[in-house]
Amino acid sequence: MFLKNLLEKITHILGLTTPKKKPLFCPCCYAEEKCIGGSPYLLEDFQSIMTHFAQLNDHNADLLGEKFSKKDPFGIVFIHTEQNSDPIQGHNILIPQSIIFEDLQENVFYAICRIKDKCEWVQYAYYISDKKGHKWYDYIGKNEPVTDSRTIERLEKRLSVYKDLIITLLKKQEGKGKIVPKNIPISQQFHKEWLLLASLLSIPTRTANKICKSVLIEEEMFDTFLSEMIAADYLEVIDWKDVAEDVVYNYNLLSKRLKGTAIDLEIDNNTPPTEVFRLLASRSEFTLYQIDIDADSYFIGLCPKENAIAVQCQYKALFSVLDNQTSVTLIV
């Protein structure tokens, strides 16, 4: 009864409903947008499940649950497709995209949760105590990381069955031997991927939305994106003939935008930009990266060091939306 009342209260407070296409039994609550150390799960595999699930019509979404319960009577899987981070009753709360497992044998919930560009296994905290007086917000941020290999192996077998059922239902739904990708407007795809990149680059939401709005009204979206980033001092263009002091000056503009410390290099002005980049990178509190566009010019930017690999991957995801194969190189 305690669990039932808790879930009903959280669902009511968050305004969550359980429409046929997006079943949600119990949200997984984080205190902040930060992983807690659960075993990782591949982001690409996670996103594939989310994408395929979203393509199911209401009838097949219902049928998915019925078919899975016949194959796995002791487990239930739910998909939560949207992230919610709005404060509730004065409490900060993050409900991430997640694949949720209810284990009827163990009487416990597990989940694969997406936190920015990473996914991790966690165990829900809703069984901390049934002591009277506990409120729903007592459970925020109390989830436990799951690292036990046998538990994860068991859950991944369960997930494999679930994935196969989704694929089978999609094939029948489309009446074909292969899955037809859902046609999502490019504006929605760009907006989603850009906001994730902007977060990794430490660009304020207001600025990120302004850049996005400017890009989406133009036909040449890739060129407009670069122009907007340069205008906002999140990218700088260096010509191969630029003297060293100009390269350092442009670096410091980028660093200032991220509230970093300026670097003063005592260097021969004839030093090539590529060598200046390496010297700056060795002393920088950020990671210096280059967008590989023009052999005669260098498009450089900065990002927090802990986000460097994620930024490189997310640029690729963003550019792929624009059908552009331009790569990003980290300067070390």
Side-chain angles (χ1 to χ4, degrees), residues 55-72:
Q55 291 179 249
L56 290 175
N57 58 32
D58 290 340
H59 171 73
N60 282 328
D62 283 342
L63 197 58
L64 173 63
E66 294 176 15
K67 286 182 173 293
F68 183 74
S69 64
K70 291 179 182 179
K71 290 181 175 290
D72 187 352

Side-chain angles (χ1 to χ4, degrees), residues 58-103:
D58 290 340
H59 171 73
N60 282 328
D62 283 342
L63 197 58
L64 173 63
E66 294 176 15
K67 286 182 173 293
F68 183 74
S69 64
K70 291 179 182 179
K71 290 181 175 290
D72 187 352
F74 298 107
I76 303 175
V77 179
F78 304 93
I79 303 287
H80 180 44
T81 59
E82 303 295 333
Q83 176 172 304
N84 187 313
S85 57
D86 296 327
I88 302 169
Q89 294 185 343
H91 299 277
N92 291 327
I93 182 173
L94 171 72
I95 300 179
Q97 283 186 318
S98 50
I99 302 171
I100 302 163
F101 301 80
E102 181 183 5
D103 193 312

Side-chain angles (χ1 to χ4, degrees), residues 250-296:
N250 279 278
Y251 166 88
N252 285 329
L253 286 178
L254 294 171
S255 181
K256 181 179 180 181
R257 205 72 170 92
L258 296 181
K259 297 181 172 54
T261 304
I263 293 178
D264 183 17
L265 285 182
E266 293 185 3
I267 189 173
D268 187 333
N269 247 352
N270 293 319
T271 306
T274 51
E275 180 61 27
V276 182
F277 294 157
R278 284 191 287 271
L279 291 170
L280 289 168
S282 67
R283 294 182 53 180
S284 178
E285 62 201 280
F286 305 106
T287 292
L288 183 64
Y289 65 86
Q290 175 183 331
I291 299 178
D292 305 317
I293 301 173
D294 189 340
D296 294 329

Side-chain angles (χ1 to χ4, degrees), residues 16-24 53 58 61-62:
L16 297 170
T17 57
T18 55
K20 290 182 178 179
K21 193 169 182 181
K22 298 180 181 178
L24 174 63
F53 178 79
D58 290 340
D62 283 342

Side-chain angles (χ1 to χ4, degrees), residues 152-164:
I152 293 172
E153 182 180 0
R154 174 166 51 83
L155 291 170
E156 288 192 341
K157 286 181 179 179
R158 178 173 290 169
L159 181 59
S160 178
V161 174
Y162 194 76
K163 287 161 58 179
D164 289 344

Side-chain angles (χ1 to χ4, degrees), residues 143-200:
N143 300 307
E144 297 179 0
V146 175
T147 57
D148 178 64
S149 59
R150 285 186 293 181
T151 299
I152 293 172
E153 182 180 0
R154 174 166 51 83
L155 291 170
E156 288 192 341
K157 286 181 179 179
R158 178 173 290 169
L159 181 59
S160 178
V161 174
Y162 194 76
K163 287 161 58 179
D164 289 344
L165 285 172
I166 293 177
I167 298 299
T168 300
L169 288 169
L170 276 176
K171 287 180 179 179
K172 290 182 179 179
Q173 180 175 303
E174 299 295 342
K176 302 177 181 179
K178 62 180 181 179
I179 299 170
V180 177
K182 191 173 183 180
N183 184 23
I184 303 174
I186 190 171
S187 59
Q188 293 182 22
Q189 296 180 61
F190 181 86
H191 184 260
K192 175 185 174 183
E193 301 296 350
W194 161 238
L195 288 186
L196 180 53
L197 176 60
S199 174
L200 294 170

Side-chain angles (χ1 to χ4, degrees), residues 4 61 86 120 217 221 224 267 277 287 297 330:
K4 181 179 179 182
D86 296 327
E120 66 173 351
I217 63 174
M221 293 174 63
T224 303
I267 189 173
F277 294 157
T287 292
S297 300
L330 304 179

